[in-house]
Amino acid sequence: MKKTIVVSADRGETRVAVLEAKTVKSKREVAEVYIERRGGRSLVGNIYLGKVDNVLPGMEAAFVDIGLERNGFLHVDEILLPDGQQAPRRGRGQGRRIDELIKPKQEILVQVIKDPIKSKGARLSMNVTIAGRYLVYAPNGTGVGVSRRLADKERDRLRRMVSRTYDGPGGLIVRTAAHGAKKADFTREIAYLHRLDAVLEKRREGAKAPSLVFQEQDLPVRVLRDVFLNEFDKAIIDDQKQFDRVTSFFQRTAPELVEGVEHYKGKKPLFEKWEIERAIQSTLGRRIDLPSGGYLIIDYTEALTVIDVNSGSFTGRGKGGLEETITKVNTEAASEVVRQLRLRDIGGIIVIDFIDMAKGKNRDKVLGTLREALDADKSKSYLVEISPLGLVEMTRQNITDGVREILTVQCPTCEGEGVVLSAETVALEGLRKMKEIAADHAGDEAFLVRVNPKVAALLNDSDSGLLELEEETGKQFHFEGGEALAIDNFELIESGEKSSIEERALPFRPGEEVFVKIEEPHMYNADDAIARIDSYIISITGAANAVGERKMVRIQSVERASAVAELLPEEAQPKETKKAAPRKKNGSGQNAGRSENGKASASGRGPKQETGNRGNDRQGRSGQGSKNGSDPKPKAESAVKKDAEGEKEDKPVKSGPFGLRRGRRRRGKKKEDAGS
């Protein structure tokens, strides 16, 4: 299996991808992705001079201040005695209590072995190590250890070679990457590790707890150091600085690997060229399709990750029957599950729900495929047999945040639950809240509430109970809001006199002309048609033949949840309305009435228009401010100006609340608030 490492770095983010091909001719797929952002660098491998903050004998652990937001967690099994020996493990009444080993305010040298995750602080160990290419140096250790991932014959060879080369101080661990290494490789690396240890000791002497005394290498160097083995043919890096760091590291530790590092200078982004971006985006989905037609569903919980295997559209081929079909899907799923674990860097407890198989040999086949795939995973894992329920339980080492945790944040609406309240539920709860509002504001006649249009439509329905509530309380309730609002939003924004609230709440006035998209024929009147703005319905007389078109209409009558309008003749349709007006770039122009998200067409699906604020516009026309003391805003630009004699004239169509509209003809004296 040949592999390639691709490194892409920019100003704020460094990404490393590992690509694998099962055969020489097969296409290389993304197997692992590592992402590190500025300010979010992994702490694993960092060494700190910390101060013990608290010792908890009941947990057999201590919390250590290492200068981070949260204290690190140090278990009794990770404590070293003053002579450098590891403390006897606790359990079954053996070993020493943690409060006998360390004390509060004691300064100790610790290393991060697991990044902080969610509310948990970093996991710490006093068994400090310094990693190289082939070896790991333990200043407080003794002897020589060899990776168990190597074959027994190779392990024996490396143990003998290193033992003859090195006689202390400290201990050494031979890494998997040392496969095939020679004596000169170990001699060179031991000298390099001793120099790093000398730097560590010097920094520790002048340090004051809590402080960082040794920082682990950058992400590209760490990944290449740990996984760049013989089966890798090359590493491609698009950043000059990272290229120099990687080549410098290999020149000191493994000069033979320098030729395998390539500096990419192409114009096309490196991750796009290798189709890595698509793989990263795929990690955010729940469903993963299998080549056969089956699929996986991955669900994350606080305690564990659950993976469900489904046959999907795969019905089987051949004469093997149902058992053969199920076995094929499960076998295919086993390989894909491991790929997804590596790609998403899923750790902790994992439960896989394979499709039930009747024959033991088939279960063994699927389990064998799973074990074989895990052999390619560098993270430690533990796998148990398939349970009678067809479940496979396993654990996988989790050291840092995976791609999903880095790229995403918790949904602010559902707060990670995956469900939100239905519009019906919010409407019913809203009725109860409105009853409380009426009781708390006895001096007010009417209220304006901001809700999602779906909720407003339910509340305005004759069967909702709103009319009964208004009759019971003697108050009026009006609603405004747009589709951008969360479904559970329910906010009292204004209270006061009926005339004032109604002025702001109603989206139109009789005589106004509005540009809308006519959606559908009227249910009861064959000659009429319907347009909508969010949940607000406009019934348009004589518009049955204009369904699907955008037309200028004149408002005839306005009610709380609906309006009646007439279609203007074709010669009165303005040419400048054929195009949508430009969308505002900020929220200041959002319609605070029926189109919170700035939608201008009556359907709520058409082009977005530059809109004003309905509530503020109404205040400007009526001269009445809100009860909460907000200042009236100037009248919208789309309002029709008056001439010197006090008569309004038709003006060109301009954008305003609820899309394109123009003023109605009206005779009378000039409004007192026209210029306010």
Side-chain angles (χ1 to χ4, degrees), residues 41 45 94 98 137 143 158 169 171 191 237 270-271 277 287 333 352 457 482 525 580 582 584 611 632 662:
R41 181 172 175 174
Q94 302 188 8
I98 189 170
Y137 176 59
L158 293 173
I237 306 174
L270 189 55
F271 269 43
E277 294 286 1
R287 172 166 172 159
I352 310 168
N525 301 320
K584 272 191 179 286
T611 62
R662 60 189 175 195

Side-chain angles (χ1 to χ4, degrees), residues 45-170:
N46 287 358
I47 301 174
Y48 295 85
L49 183 62
K51 181 180 289 186
V52 179
D53 185 59
N54 195 13
V55 179
L56 304 175
M59 296 180 61
E60 297 184 348
F63 288 95
V64 183
D65 182 9
I66 57 176
L68 302 179
E69 182 180 353
R70 295 190 296 270
N71 288 342
F73 179 84
L74 178 67
H75 192 262
V76 66
D77 292 341
E78 299 292 346
I79 293 178
L80 293 181
L81 300 175
D83 59 358
Q85 298 296 314
Q86 191 163 2
R89 290 186 176 272
R90 291 281 293 169
R92 299 186 182 275
Q94 302 188 8
R96 296 171 62 183
R97 290 170 53 91
I98 189 170
D99 54 353
E100 298 174 355
L101 301 174
I102 56 175
K103 303 294 182 182
K105 298 185 179 181
Q106 179 181 343
E107 293 187 359
I108 56 176
L109 194 69
V110 293
Q111 186 171 34
V112 177
I113 58 176
K114 187 175 181 180
D115 275 327
I117 297 178
K118 297 180 180 179
S119 61
K120 300 179 181 179
R123 187 75 179 263
L124 307 176
S125 174
M126 292 179 65
N127 189 17
V128 173
T129 60
I130 302 174
R133 168 65 181 164
Y134 302 120
L135 301 168
V136 175
Y137 176 59
N140 299 315
T142 57
V144 177
V146 184
S147 171
R148 295 182 180 180
R149 299 176 72 93
L150 295 168
D152 292 341
K153 186 176 181 180
E154 181 66 5
R155 291 182 68 206
D156 293 339
R157 184 186 75 84
L158 293 173
R159 190 188 302 275
R160 290 194 302 269
M161 184 183 299
V162 176
S163 299
R164 295 168 184 172
T165 306
Y166 184 73
D167 57 358

Side-chain angles (χ1 to χ4, degrees), residues 337-346 350 394 396:
V337 163
V338 176
R339 179 176 174 268
Q340 290 297 323
L341 295 181
R342 297 175 62 194
L343 183 61
R344 300 172 183 236
D345 199 13
I346 299 174
I350 301 160
M394 62 171 293
R396 184 174 183 269

Side-chain angles (χ1 to χ4, degrees), residues 485-496:
L485 286 175
I487 195 69
D488 61 348
N489 188 91
F490 193 93
E491 177 187 4
L492 176 63
I493 59 175
E494 189 175 341
S495 61

Side-chain angles (χ1 to χ4, degrees), residues 211-321:
S211 62
L212 174 67
V213 296
F214 182 86
Q215 189 171 31
E216 182 60 293
Q217 299 277 6
D218 291 345
L219 176 65
V221 176
R222 294 199 311 269
V223 175
L224 286 164
R225 179 193 66 195
D226 296 342
V227 305
F228 200 50
L229 307 177
N230 295 331
E231 63 263 28
F232 284 86
D233 55 357
K234 60 181 176 180
I236 308 172
I237 306 174
D238 66 359
D239 182 73
Q240 183 66 53
K241 184 181 293 185
Q242 293 295 344
F243 174 78
D244 293 340
R245 289 178 177 175
V246 170
T247 53
S248 176
F249 173 79
F250 281 148
Q251 285 171 352
R252 295 193 301 269
T253 59
E256 69 278 5
L257 298 178
V258 174
E259 294 182 359
V261 183
E262 175 185 326
H263 186 203
Y264 178 75
K265 299 180 180 179
K267 294 182 179 181
K268 189 174 184 180
L270 189 55
F271 269 43
E272 288 286 349
K273 180 178 180 180
W274 287 87
E275 299 182 358
I276 303 172
E277 294 286 1
R278 185 184 305 173
I280 293 175
Q281 292 301 317
S282 71
T283 63
L284 305 181
R286 294 177 64 236
R287 172 166 172 159
I288 301 93
D289 292 319
L290 302 174
S292 65
Y295 62 93
L296 309 177
I297 296 293
I298 302 178
D299 285 320
Y300 303 87
T301 73
E302 187 72 21
L304 48 83
T305 301
V306 182
I307 303 176
D308 184 35
V309 182
N310 297 283
S311 60
S313 61
F314 183 63
T315 57
R317 302 180 183 90
K319 302 180 180 180

